[in-house]
Amino acid sequence: MRKTIKMYGLPIDIVTLESAFERFKQLLDRSVFSFICTPNTEIVMVARKDEELREILKSSDMNIPDGIGLVIASKIHKLGLIERVTGVDLMGKMLEFCDYSRKSIYILGGKPGVAEMAVNNIKEKYSNIQVEGYNNGYFDKNEESKIIQNINKVSPDILFVALGAPRQEKWIYHHRKDLNVKIAMGVGGSIDIWAGTVKRAPKLFRVLGLEWFYRLIREPWRFKRMLILPKFMIQVLRSKNITN
Ligand code: UDP
C-alpha cells in the first residue's frame, strides 16, 4: 500500500530507499504502465505555479522525495517523510535488479554522446542488463514519433528519461498512452553521473544534506535557479500549514 504525505497539494511518498525499491518492484509486476517521479524542492515550487505539472505529480505512481528541502519542511511541519531518497540512488537499485532479473532498459536524454557513455558504463557494471537502446535528449518535435517508434519496437521494461525537469515529466505524461514500456522514470542529471561527465557530491556532503551546496560550487551558473530553495524554506517557515 502506498503511503504519501501532501506537500502544497502534491503527494510525496513516505519511503526509504529500500521501500521505494520495493514499490518499484510492485509496479513492475503490474500489467499497466507506471510512472515514477523524483520531485525535489525546485519542482515542488515550480508545480505550485504550473497546473499541468501539479496534475502530473498527482497522477504518477510514486514521487520519491529527492530534495533535502522537502525532508526539512516535512520535519518542521511533522508530516512524516523519513529521509531523502534520490533518483540516482533508486536508479542504481533498479539497474542492479534489472541485472539479476535480466530486465531491459532504454535511455532517452542527455547531450549527444552522454546517453551512449552512460549506457557503456551501465553495461560494464551490469553485464546482464539488456540495454535496448538510447537516444540523446536534444530532438525536435517532428522527431518524437520516430523516437517513440524506436522505443516501442524493443518495448523495454524501463524507460529512463533525462530531459531535465519538468520537461521530462511532461514528456512522459504526454506520451504515456503511446509508450510500450512498463515503467517510465524521469532521472534528470543522473544520466550525467552514470556517464561520468558530472561527479556526484562526496558522501560527507550527502550525509549532511549539502549535495545542493556541492552542486552550486561545481555548477555556479545554477545560482539563479537555486534561489528557489531559500524561497521555499521561507515559505515553509512562515506557513502554518503546507499540505495544501
Ligand atoms: N537535457 C536533455 N535535453 C534538454 C534539456 C536537458 O537531454 O532539452 C539533459 C541534460 O543534458 C542533462 C539532463 O537533461 O543530461 C538533466 O538536465 P538538468 O541538469 O538541467 O536537469 P536536472 O538534473 O536539474 O533535472
Side-chain angles (χ1 to χ4, degrees), residues 81-239:
L81 288 182
I82 304 165
E83 63 182 24
R84 178 182 180 215
V85 179
T86 66
V88 67
D89 284 331
L90 182 59
M91 184 178 173
K93 300 269 292 176
M94 288 162 69
L95 289 173
E96 207 177 297
F97 176 81
C98 290
D99 188 39
Y100 65 75
S101 54
R102 293 177 186 266
K103 299 286 184 203
S104 57
I105 66 166
Y106 193 106
I107 293 183
L108 173 63
K111 295 202 178 83
V114 167
E116 188 179 357
M117 277 154 71
V119 162
N120 288 340
N121 290 337
I122 288 169
K123 275 186 182 162
E124 202 174 303
K125 187 157 184 202
Y126 303 111
S127 54
N128 294 321
I129 291 189
Q130 295 168 32
V131 182
E132 297 288 11
Y134 58 85
N135 198 98
N136 75 67
Y138 294 82
F139 49 82
D140 294 333
K141 204 105 201 86
N142 60 6
E143 293 171 272
E144 272 183 356
S145 60
K146 183 86 200 133
I147 291 172
I148 293 172
Q149 260 179 36
N150 287 341
I151 295 170
N152 288 347
K153 244 188 253 161
V154 291
S155 60
D157 292 302
I158 301 165
L159 172 66
F160 292 111
V161 183
L163 302 175
R167 185 178 165 212
Q168 60 203 15
E169 286 73 20
K170 292 188 177 184
W171 195 89
I172 295 171
Y173 186 74
H174 286 154
H175 298 295
R176 68 195 186 286
K177 295 201 173 115
D178 314 320
L179 287 167
N180 190 8
V181 308
K182 280 196 162 163
I183 294 186
M185 173 174 171
V187 290
S190 303
I191 214 67
D192 301 282
I193 292 173
W194 278 101
T197 49
V198 169
K199 257 178 86 92
R200 216 179 156 189
K203 193 143 190 207
L204 184 66
F205 283 79
R206 295 191 330 238
V207 171
L208 294 175
L210 290 173
E211 199 156 3
W212 60 272
F213 181 63
Y214 181 82
R215 205 159 181 197
L216 183 62
I217 302 168
R218 303 283 298 209
E219 302 167 57
W221 56 89
R222 283 180 174 270
F223 178 70
K224 251 192 144 163
R225 252 175 81 178
M226 287 175 79
L227 282 176
I228 213 161
L229 306 181
K231 271 194 200 148
F232 173 82
M233 285 325 301
I234 289 167
Q235 287 188 16
V236 164
L237 287 168
R238 278 194 181 154
S239 313

Side-chain angles (χ1 to χ4, degrees), residues 18-133:
E18 255 338 292
S19 63
F21 175 58
E22 289 306 315
R23 169 97 181 137
F24 148 73
K25 286 194 285 183
Q26 284 165 9
L27 295 176
L28 195 61
D29 269 347
R30 305 194 310 186
S31 53
V32 292
F33 170 84
S34 303
F35 182 13
I36 300 177
C37 291
T38 59
N40 58 15
T41 313
E42 193 183 332
I43 304 289
V44 169
M45 283 295 269
V46 173
R48 294 187 69 188
K49 294 203 174 125
D50 182 334
E51 198 175 332
E52 186 189 19
L53 182 58
R54 251 191 339 266
E55 286 316 308
I56 294 173
L57 288 165
K58 282 183 192 170
S59 75
S60 55
D61 300 285
M62 174 160 66
N63 295 326
I64 61 170
D66 186 357
I68 192 67
L70 304 185
V71 177
I72 294 173
S74 161
K75 286 231 160 79
I76 292 172
H77 288 270
K78 302 196 170 47
L79 299 180
L81 288 182
I82 304 165
E83 63 182 24
R84 178 182 180 215
V85 179
T86 66
V88 67
D89 284 331
L90 182 59
M91 184 178 173
K93 300 269 292 176
M94 288 162 69
L95 289 173
E96 207 177 297
F97 176 81
C98 290
D99 188 39
Y100 65 75
S101 54
R102 293 177 186 266
K103 299 286 184 203
S104 57
I105 66 166
Y106 193 106
I107 293 183
L108 173 63
K111 295 202 178 83
V114 167
E116 188 179 357
M117 277 154 71
V119 162
N120 288 340
N121 290 337
I122 288 169
K123 275 186 182 162
E124 202 174 303
K125 187 157 184 202
Y126 303 111
S127 54
N128 294 321
I129 291 189
Q130 295 168 32
V131 182
E132 297 288 11

